[in-house]
Amino acid sequence: MKKTVLTVALAISSPIFAADDEIGIYADRRVPLPAPETGSPRGAGTADTASLLEDLPGISLYSAGGLSSLPSIRGLADDRIRIRVDGMDLISACSNHMNPPLSYIDPSSVGKIRAFAGVTPVSMGGDSIAGTIEVQSVPPRFAAQGTHLVSGETGAVYRSNGSVQGYHLAAGIASDTISLRYSGSTVRAKNYLAGGAFKAASSTPGSLSGAVVAADEVGSSSYQATNHQVALGLKSRDHLVTMKAGVQSIPHQGFPNQRMDMSGNDSTSLNLGYHGKYSWGILDARIYDEHTRHSMNFVGDKQFWYGALFNVAGMPMDTEGRNSGFRIMGTLPFTEADIFRSGVEYRRYRRNDWWNPVANSGMMMSPNVFRNINAGKRDRTALFAEWERNWNRKWTTQSGIRFEQVAMDTGNVQGYSPAYAAAANAFNATSHARRDNNLDLTLLARFAPDRNSSFEAGYAMKTRSPNLYERYVWANSNSMVMNMNNWFGDGNCYVGNQNLKPEVAHTLNLSAKWQGEDWQMKVSPYHTWVRNYIDAVACPACAARADGFANLSLANQSARLYGVDLSGWKSLGSFEGYGNFRMLASFDYERGSNGTTGNNLYHIMPPNATISLEDKLDGWTGLLQMKLVSAKTRVDIVRREAGTGGYGLLNLYASREWKWMRIDFGIRNLFDKFYIDPLGGAYLGQGSTMGATIPNGSGVPGMGRSIDVGLTFKF
């Protein structure tokens, strides 16, 4: 598997668009903070691109499907983070957010990941309050002048837990001006096993598989996916044009913390980018189009056949999303000390979410097509300007302003039958169009008194408009249809609120870094106050339920999040024949509370630390890693979130790289420790998930011991 470069700039750092030396286009002068060096060489250990960020300070993951975990930056996740994949602003096209943006690229295709938290420069932000994650696939390679270059690699991975098998292939041919590259990957996994039994072994009557799910087996955690991409690069001395076409197919992906599973996800994308140098500065431009066709039902371990005679075949849900946009940005170096950036962005998004009627279901799911989101629209138009000033060798500032208009609308809806008419008519009687005028402001300052220390401070006001589901999910008449709308993985069910206002976050970040020849330490405290925070509230108008879960709505309230990220490393010396040793460590503390109710915010990661011992010798890299997580005792009462116990995990990673080959080896959870994932949500991996027989209170267990092996050949 390709070794992924992780470039993470947390706290208040500026982004950098450093051009590859092969391209020959100079980079602008923005300098990011050095990347924390606590990322683990996972190698063969993941098919989930989001997990490449898991060990970095300030970032945790909401568990979901095996390909679709959701990154959280300092307690804020999902649509509160702006995620760009190869410059495309992607968005989840699913009422349960089963296809988040990072699921559209395989880890083997990743060339670089950059993450920015809190005070994100306006040129990288927009419609988000947590930060930005930017993923770039492997860049085009060009041959030396007058020559040709043929390159490629192929590899395979196997992971024992879940019997995961994955393969990837990449091949390219290039001259000094043209580069053509193909990359493809496929992966298949069975259900994974926890570190011990957490329930009784059982099968689900009416399930498609009919299989017995073992006592330590996490139901509905299997998956399968295939990705293809063709990339063309055209280069002259000062200009680079890239064209990429991608296709993804996910035949199925189980979700242990959702009542539904993904029964299909097909996506196509076209992406055209330009980067060029002119006498006045640098011009970056991009235009893209992405289309997703998504479906949900019950896969494998969940009950598929309902009705007294098991004659009601599933509950199909279908979604289609179309995501198109462009971005143009100019970088103008006015003086040796000043850089000015300005640009315009536009994204057009269309979504339909419908549920076809089901035979033999009576008025519950027939005779009409259920329109959950009908002709949904969410369009963004943005203008931004950013000024960076190097006052002297010690002081640098950056300030920016961004105006963004978000226009949303949707058509009239209908239910399966007249039983849903009251809620549908009430929704249809209102005007659905909404237009938000959002403003972002940032101010950053960096002071570097010497080569061994630097200090940063920043303030940001960031704004995010609600997504289509938060505003327009309308059905509240019975728990069955409400069960189908949950993008939080908490087992509860949701109805939207058309009167939601945009969230406005005010963030203050501080950062200090000290370093010597053989050590480095960084501390980054932060505080965020959010006005009009969108949180779950009780829904008196919704149907009642008695299984321990809740039918909820959404409302604007206030929230406060604060914490600190610590990271550092220390060289332990070089030992002949044994290599160079380093100790690496990180610690995260985050706290989130609802300022209106005093309740704890949902899915806040408890205090956690990672301590690693690294050894490097020639082409060998080894890492012994210990992860410590404290008990989760502060929980969201409204969502009936369950607490979790503390735990410690020991992981072992190793790799050996030659010019033409790389071997990756890892043992995760070496001692097969059983634990409940603090951000795993409610366990809904098997049984009658649309009924009232699954009680609340059981969390999703983390993965038990897994032996991972990967082999990659390069040419």
Side-chain angles (χ1 to χ4, degrees):
M1 181 171 287
K2 184 172 290 296
K3 184 178 180 181
T4 300
V5 179
L6 296 182
T7 303
V8 176
L10 294 174
I12 58 170
S13 63
S14 307
I16 183 170
F17 291 91
D20 195 299
D21 291 339
E22 296 173 322
I23 298 174
I25 301 174
Y26 73 84
D28 67 46
R29 291 174 291 175
R30 284 180 283 185
V31 180
L33 290 178
E37 299 187 57
T38 53
S40 63
R42 291 178 173 270
T46 184
D48 180 11
T49 296
S51 68
L52 298 174
L53 297 163
E54 183 178 13
D55 296 324
L56 298 166
I59 295 183
S60 53
L61 298 179
Y62 285 20
S63 296
L67 306 168
S68 302
S69 58
L70 303 171
S72 172
I73 299 178
R74 294 173 173 173
L76 297 170
D78 206 359
D79 285 349
R80 293 184 171 113
I81 302 174
R82 183 181 186 186
I83 299 179
R84 299 197 311 192
V85 178
D86 278 333
M88 298 184 294
D89 263 320
L90 299 182
I91 189 171
S92 180
C94 171
S95 60
N96 295 296
H97 284 199
M98 292 181 175
N99 47 15
L102 292 181
S103 69
Y104 286 98
I105 182 169
D106 184 80
S108 65
S109 297
V110 173
K112 182 183 293 184
I113 298 181
R114 301 188 297 171
F116 305 88
V119 186
T120 306
V122 296
S123 57
M124 295 290 294
D127 199 33
S128 59
I129 61 174
T132 297
I133 295 174
E134 183 182 57
V135 182
Q136 299 173 6
S137 59
V138 177
R141 295 185 61 189
F142 295 93
Q145 187 172 2
T147 66
H148 289 82
L149 174 68
V150 178
S151 63
E153 69 175 55
T154 184
V157 298
Y158 175 77
R159 298 187 282 276
S160 65
N161 198 325
S163 300
V164 184
Q165 300 177 51
Y167 308 92
H168 78 275
L169 171 69
I173 184 170
S175 68
D176 58 337
T177 59
I178 301 176
S179 173
L180 180 64
R181 185 177 189 271
Y182 163 80
S183 61
S185 64
T186 184
V187 64
R188 179 193 296 266
K190 298 179 181 179
N191 289 344
Y192 73 83
L193 304 180
F198 63 99
K199 53 181 172 55
S202 64
S203 61
T204 298
S207 68
L208 288 178
S209 69
V212 174
V213 180
D216 61 347
E217 182 179 349
V218 177
S220 301
S221 58
S222 63
Y223 57 85
Q224 182 181 353
T226 301
N227 291 275
H228 302 278
Q229 186 188 79
V230 176
L232 175 66
L234 305 174
K235 185 194 73 169
S236 68
R237 178 179 177 182
D238 295 326
H239 306 276
L240 172 68
V241 175
T242 58
M243 291 173 281
K244 298 180 180 180
V247 177
Q248 181 189 74
S249 175
I250 301 180
H252 78 273
Q253 182 178 187
F255 283 76
N257 63 355
Q258 294 284 0
R259 298 179 184 275
M260 308 289 292
D261 295 314
M262 179 189 290
S263 56
N265 196 88
D266 296 293
S267 172
T268 59
S269 65
L270 294 173
N271 186 355
L272 175 64
Y274 171 76
H275 183 82
K277 172 187 173 183
Y278 295 86
S279 59
W280 49 265
I282 293 177
L283 178 66
D284 288 283
R286 184 170 303 279
I287 185 170
Y288 60 88
D289 179 78
E290 182 264 340
H291 176 255
T292 297
R293 183 69 170 80
H294 172 73
S295 59
M296 288 185 289
N297 214 315
F298 309 106
V299 175
D301 305 315
K302 295 169 184 172
Q303 183 174 343
F304 179 85
W305 295 98
Y306 281 80
L309 301 176
F310 280 172
N311 60 346
V312 179
M315 301 180 186
M317 301 172 63
D318 291 275
T319 307
E320 184 174 22
R322 190 98 194 194
N323 189 37
S324 307
F326 69 85
R327 169 186 165 96
I328 302 173
M329 185 180 79
T331 302
L332 294 80
F334 280 160
T335 68
E336 288 296 317
D338 296 282
I339 296 176
F340 181 75
R341 305 176 193 90
S342 64
V344 59
E345 296 181 16
Y346 173 73
R347 186 179 74 182
R348 178 184 183 273
Y349 188 66
R350 298 292 181 267
R351 180 184 297 171
N352 280 292
D353 187 333
W354 72 97
W355 313 342
N356 287 321
V358 180
N360 303 317
S361 64
M363 295 181 66
M364 180 65 75
M365 292 188 294
S366 67
N368 301 324
V369 174
F370 190 104
R371 302 290 179 183
N372 196 37
I373 298 288
N374 183 28
K377 302 176 182 179
R378 193 178 190 276
D379 299 336
R380 294 171 43 209
T381 305
L383 298 170
F384 62 86
E386 195 170 85
W387 173 43
E388 184 175 321
R389 168 78 176 179
N390 296 318
W391 298 91
N392 51 47
R393 299 177 67 178
K394 297 182 178 180
W395 281 97
T396 301
T397 60
Q398 185 188 91
S399 57
I401 184 170
R402 181 186 184 99
F403 173 79
E404 186 153 333
Q405 186 176 88
V406 180
M408 298 174 62
D409 201 357
T410 186
N412 288 340
V413 298
Q414 70 176 19
Y416 285 117
S417 69
Y420 302 87
N425 291 340
F427 180 87
N428 294 339
T430 63
S431 174
H432 308 145
R434 298 291 186 273
R435 192 176 300 272
D436 302 326
N437 295 315
N438 300 335
L439 184 67
D440 286 5
L441 301 171
T442 61
L443 179 61
L444 313 161
R446 173 174 174 153
F447 175 59
D450 52 52
R451 297 180 59 184
N452 297 323
S453 61
S454 62
F455 307 90
E456 302 197 2
Y459 163 78
M461 182 180 77
K462 297 287 186 178
T463 310
R464 179 192 79 97
S465 288
N467 62 40
L468 287 171
Y469 289 105
E470 287 170 327
R471 270 191 169 150
Y472 296 132
V473 169
W474 59 274
N476 63 0
S477 56
N478 67 68
S479 294
M480 188 277 293
V481 295
M482 293 191 68
N483 280 342
M484 296 184 176
N485 289 298
N486 180 316
W487 50 99
F488 303 106
D490 58 7
N492 300 307
C493 311
Y494 291 85
V495 64
N497 181 351
Q498 292 191 68
N499 297 318
L500 289 176
K501 300 176 182 178
E503 297 177 325
V504 181
H506 300 269
T507 297
L508 177 65
N509 282 351
L510 303 174
S511 180
K513 187 186 72 173
W514 300 271
Q515 62 184 17
E517 292 184 0
D518 62 351
W519 64 278
Q520 183 183 102
M521 184 176 71
K522 179 181 173 184
V523 55
S524 301
Y526 58 90
H527 186 282
T528 297
W529 177 75
V530 187
R531 177 167 56 88
N532 293 328
Y533 183 83
I534 299 173
D535 209 351
V537 295
C539 180
C542 295
R545 61 191 309 150
D547 55 359
F549 293 100
N551 291 338
L552 301 171
S553 185
L554 304 168
N556 288 120
Q557 298 178 325
S558 66
R560 185 165 68 107
L561 301 100
Y562 59 89
V564 62
D565 303 327
L566 300 171
S567 63
W569 59 269
K570 176 68 173 71
S571 174
L572 301 180
S574 177
F575 301 89
E576 186 174 355
Y578 294 94
N580 299 310
F581 289 84
R582 288 196 309 169
M583 184 70 71
L584 306 97
S586 66
F587 171 78
D588 294 331
Y589 173 82
E590 61 186 47
R591 178 84 169 87
S593 61
N594 186 306
T596 303
T597 66
N599 186 28
N600 297 302
L601 296 185
Y602 177 63
H603 261 12
I604 297 297
M605 185 69 181
N608 61 95
T610 302
I611 303 171
S612 305
L613 177 64
E614 179 191 75
D615 177 27
K616 289 189 175 183
L617 177 64
D618 299 326
W620 153 273
T621 299
L623 191 79
L624 181 64
Q625 180 192 74
M626 181 168 59
K627 296 177 71 74
L628 303 171
V629 179
S630 66
K632 183 178 178 64
T633 58
R634 294 188 174 102
V635 295
D636 185 339
I637 297 174
V638 174
R639 299 177 196 256
R640 306 181 185 182
E641 182 182 16
T644 57
Y647 59 91
L649 304 177
L650 195 65
N651 303 317
L652 176 65
Y653 302 100
S655 66
R656 181 66 169 92
E657 188 164 12
W658 296 267
K659 182 177 181 181
W660 55 275
M661 186 176 73
R662 175 185 172 98
I663 298 176
D664 290 290
F665 175 80
I667 305 178
R668 289 176 290 155
N669 196 353
L670 182 65
F671 296 116
D672 204 23
K673 174 74 173 179
F674 176 80
Y675 66 99
I676 299 295
D677 187 344
L679 305 185
Y683 181 63
L684 298 163
Q686 58 194 102
S688 177
T689 57
M690 285 297 167
T693 60
I694 299 179
N696 193 5
S698 298
V700 177
M703 185 177 291
R705 180 170 49 240
S706 182
I707 299 174
D708 308 331
V709 180
L711 182 63
T712 301
F713 293 96
K714 307 176 183 179
F715 61 89

